[in-house]
Amino acid sequence: MFRYRKIKSTALYALCVASVLLALIPLLLIFYRTLSFGFTALNLDFFTQLPKPVGESGGGLANAIVGTMILVGIGCCLSLPVGILSGIYLSEYGQNVFGTSVRFLTDVLSGVPSIVTGVVAYTLVVIPMKHFSAYAGGVALAILMIPTITRTTEEMMKTVPHSYREAALALGISEWKTTLRIILRTSLGGVVTGVMLAIARAAGETAPLLFTALNNRFWHTTLDQPIASLTVFIYNYGVSPFDDWIAQAWAGALVLMLMILLLSIAVRFATRKRYHEH
Amino acid sequence: MQKEISTISVQPTVAAVPVELASKREKISAHQVCAFFGQNQALKNISLSIPEHSVVAIIGPSGCGKSTFLRSVNRMHEMIPESRITGTLTLDGEDIYQMDAVQVRRRIGMVFQKPNPFPTMSIADNVSAGLRMNGMRDRRRIEEIVERSLRQAALWNEVKDSLFKGGMSLSGGQQQRLCIARALAVSPDVLLMDEPASALDPISTAKIEELMYELKKDYTIVIVTHNMQQAARVSDRTAFFYMGELIEYDGTKKIFTMPSKKQTEEYITGRFG
């Protein structure tokens, strides 16, 4: 009997490990391929130069790196307040029909194909403005980010034990301060994870940018103009017939991955658990 | 002859409430308090008076309304959806339900059954949380109050060198004293304790009980407890609740030696509950 249980336990453990390895294989393959192909095309010019005209070799994707940052930045400016405040609403006051419908619609929104959000941003921003712009791209990315941020904020705030809320209220701390400075603060680690997931997803999106931010082979001068982005460049260069463009697409993918990685590490460091609040 | 008999029959009641208590000013008074959760009535016409600078223990079997009564005093009860309260509760003669709930809670502090220090804060920040979040900025003053509160909670000597460590790094008993210090830091008049020692070991329990004895010099304490020995040890008066009703409320000594109600006697002798 004992042996039977032991065998079962070992078998299940082995199954778990095997599943983890299986899940890691594609990740490692992608990482290895991007590193080995992208690294060779990476040089200082890549970070400082504009793309060269067709036929000329060299150049870089400096405008696309900055463009991705700006697009994601605009997306964050729009989606962080909306997403976090909606999450707070759902977790603290959303136990009613309205809350349930918002929750349901948020889940539906997160399942909408990203190209559709591009169409929405096209209709909402591009058509009234009559041209493609960084704003339109930012709006498209924000629509993609909001559901993730809302739902993780809600879920994370719900994991904070009720006893902390009671402790704070019993100290004569007002309800909104309790929500922001105790509940949200306690769940900050989880909320940040959600925000990082949303940023990573938005930064890697191509489809919603195709007819909102479009693309730009030069430096943008204002935000109501088309703007370059790494993903659109990767897409355009990746399907091109030129070897050096394809190499630059790999380098762009590598840079994009590293940017997300660095941002993740930096944000985690800034919001790490600590007890010194002064 | 007539007169003598009546004197004798009245005597125990008078003697049971110590003179010093009888002369004390009334701090909290409940009059005909009923509490409801939706259709459920948790408290039925509770009327009692809690004198200043004393410890009042509330005992009774689970579900008898002890905690509900405690929570109706500092208006934590109303945080539960569909809860309702009728009757009057006063603090220093002022109607608690006419006051601002936040103000009530600053004057009536609470310590919970399970220690619940804020996990994102250091020991010092836990103690000063109530002050800081109500707008106190003066760093020196905050430090003074932190030290004073930790001393009052008999925790200072154990944590004075680790004030900036996390509140969760302490042991369970220390965490509970930290929570007491946190409640004291906002200078309440009254301290409500909801089974403050039920999650603690005997040594920590003894420390908390000792603390109550010290604290009643400056505060009025109401403690809910399942532990009848604890009620007998720490309190001046004891209220026995059963099925949402106040069965008996008298000097602790009297309740435990010669209760006037049969139900009280049966409960304290362990025959039910």
Side-chain angles (χ1 to χ4, degrees):
Chain A
M1 198 60 204
F2 172 73
R3 257 188 65 179
Y4 171 67
R5 275 205 302 266
K6 192 149 183 171
I7 290 167
K8 205 161 71 172
S9 163
T10 316
L12 276 171
Y13 179 72
L15 206 65
C16 290
V17 174
S19 304
V20 169
L21 291 178
L22 200 66
L24 278 176
I25 288 171
L27 184 70
L28 289 174
L29 284 179
I30 292 170
F31 208 73
Y32 170 72
R33 185 112 175 143
T34 316
L35 251 175
S36 57
F37 278 49
F39 198 72
T40 46
L42 218 53
N43 49 36
L44 189 63
D45 279 358
F46 187 87
F47 295 98
T48 55
Q49 299 286 307
L50 284 179
K52 284 280 197 299
V54 187
E56 279 181 52
S57 61
L61 291 179
N63 59 339
I65 294 172
V66 174
T68 289
M69 289 180 188
I70 288 174
L71 286 168
V72 173
I74 296 173
C76 283
C77 289
L78 297 173
S79 63
L80 282 180
V82 177
I84 290 181
L85 290 174
S86 316
I88 292 175
Y89 174 81
L90 287 181
S91 120
E92 303 299 301
Y93 311 101
Q95 309 311 322
N96 49 33
V97 181
F98 180 66
T100 312
S101 13
V102 170
R103 216 168 278 129
F104 176 70
L105 290 174
T106 312
D107 288 345
V108 170
L109 184 59
S110 67
V112 167
S114 59
I115 193 147
V116 176
T117 66
V119 177
V120 172
Y122 178 83
T123 320
L124 287 179
V125 189
V126 178
I127 292 180
M129 282 176 82
K130 297 196 171 57
H131 51 84
F132 301 106
S133 66
Y135 292 128
V139 168
L141 294 185
I143 297 172
L144 277 174
M145 293 168 76
I146 286 172
T148 316
I149 297 175
T150 302
R151 293 292 275 156
T152 33
T153 303
E154 183 199 354
E155 293 305 324
M156 289 303 141
M157 286 183 64
K158 275 187 178 163
T159 62
V160 177
H162 198 62
S163 60
Y164 298 140
R165 153 174 301 279
E166 288 193 324
L169 290 173
L171 283 175
I173 297 171
S174 56
E175 220 172 310
W176 70 271
K177 271 187 188 164
T178 300
T179 302
L180 287 184
R181 296 186 59 180
I182 305 291
I183 311 294
L184 188 62
R185 178 69 190 80
T186 306
S187 57
L188 194 64
V191 174
V192 164
T193 306
V195 170
M196 287 313 304
L197 274 174
I199 289 178
R201 181 175 174 207
E205 281 291 351
T206 319
L209 297 178
L210 286 174
F211 32 83
T212 51
L214 199 68
N215 199 0
N216 193 338
R217 297 191 65 83
F218 307 98
W219 286 107
H220 62 279
T221 44
T222 55
L223 293 180
D224 59 1
Q225 287 182 336
I227 193 169
S229 60
L230 277 170
T231 45
V232 175
F233 259 106
I234 294 167
Y235 172 67
N236 287 340
Y237 278 20
V239 297
S240 75
F242 312 114
D243 285 342
D244 57 334
W245 278 21
I246 292 173
Q248 283 199 325
W250 280 110
L254 179 61
V255 169
L256 189 59
M257 255 166 55
L258 293 178
M259 276 165 64
I260 302 293
L261 188 69
L262 285 178
L263 184 68
S264 263
I265 293 170
V267 171
R268 288 227 163 267
F269 182 75
T271 57
R272 71 193 182 282
K273 280 213 168 100
R274 63 194 150 187
Y275 297 111
H276 306 261
E277 293 237 299
H278 301 299
Chain B
M1 202 58 197
Q2 266 301 33
K3 210 180 168 202
E4 259 192 58
I5 291 168
S6 80
T7 317
I8 288 164
S9 66
V10 162
Q11 196 72 42
T13 330
V14 175
V17 179
V19 184
E20 47 140 2
L21 269 183
S23 66
K24 270 180 181 166
R25 207 165 64 85
E26 178 180 78
K27 191 72 190 175
I28 291 174
S29 138
H31 182 67
Q32 302 280 307
V33 172
C34 300
F36 303 85
F37 297 102
Q39 293 300 308
N40 247 335
Q41 185 166 5
L43 291 179
K44 293 169 189 160
N45 290 320
I46 306 292
S47 298
L48 59 79
S49 161
I50 293 167
E52 199 173 29
H53 300 311
S54 62
V55 177
V56 171
I58 301 178
I59 59 169
S62 297
C64 69
K66 309 183 294 279
S67 291
T68 306
F69 178 73
L70 207 64
R71 286 160 165 274
S72 61
V73 173
N74 70 341
R75 293 183 59 172
M76 289 298 283
H77 175 65
E78 68 194 34
M79 300 311 295
I80 298 158
E82 291 184 34
S83 62
R84 208 153 47 79
I85 271 198
T86 61
T88 339
L89 271 160
T90 61
L91 171 65
D92 291 329
E94 221 180 320
D95 190 334
I96 287 173
Y97 281 80
Q98 298 297 319
M99 291 161 74
D100 178 36
V102 171
Q103 290 304 318
V104 170
R105 294 181 194 133
R106 296 184 73 176
R107 287 171 62 184
I108 307 179
M110 190 163 193
V111 176
F112 297 85
Q113 184 172 359
K114 270 169 76 182
N116 52 3
F118 299 130
T120 56
M121 295 184 197
S122 69
I123 292 170
D125 285 345
N126 258 291
V127 179
S128 62
L131 301 169
R132 287 182 294 116
M133 291 192 195
N134 281 312
M136 190 184 276
R137 291 275 170 272
D138 184 349
R139 192 86 62 83
R140 286 275 291 278
R141 178 110 185 83
I142 289 176
E143 276 170 23
E144 276 168 29
I145 296 175
V146 167
E147 179 172 346
R148 189 202 69 200
S149 311
L150 284 169
R151 278 188 195 282
Q152 279 183 316
L155 189 60
W156 176 253
N157 286 330
E158 290 157 65
V159 302
K160 63 182 176 206
D161 301 318
S162 53
L163 286 175
F164 296 101
K165 277 198 188 153
M168 297 297 245
S169 66
L170 300 173
S171 74
Q174 288 173 324
Q175 283 186 20
Q176 191 62 302
R177 277 179 285 149
L178 177 62
C179 292
I180 294 175
R182 179 175 69 184
L184 296 178
V186 292
S187 310
D189 301 338
V190 180
L191 206 54
L192 307 175
M193 299 178 132
D194 193 353
E195 300 182 41
S198 66
L200 305 180
D201 66 87
I203 294 169
S204 304
T205 303
K207 278 189 179 157
I208 303 264
E209 287 180 5
E210 211 175 299
L211 197 54
M212 275 186 252
Y213 191 77
E214 286 297 312
L215 288 175
K216 76 172 178 182
K217 291 172 193 157
D218 300 312
Y219 305 89
T220 305
I221 297 175
V222 186
I223 174 178
V224 161
T225 178
H226 261 130
N227 180 332
M228 278 176 280
Q229 285 76 28
Q230 183 172 60
R233 281 194 298 265
V234 301
S235 68
D236 304 303
R237 287 187 177 199
T238 298
F240 172 57
F241 278 51
Y242 182 60
M243 307 270 279
E245 284 178 68
L246 175 62
I247 305 297
E248 194 170 351
Y249 177 47
D250 215 324
T252 297
K253 208 169 168 192
K254 172 150 188 307
I255 292 270
F256 283 98
T257 50
M258 42 175 124
S260 45
K261 294 276 168 53
K262 198 161 177 289
Q263 278 166 308
T264 315
E265 191 191 331
E266 283 177 1
Y267 181 69
I268 58 172
T269 51
R271 254 173 285 173
F272 84 98

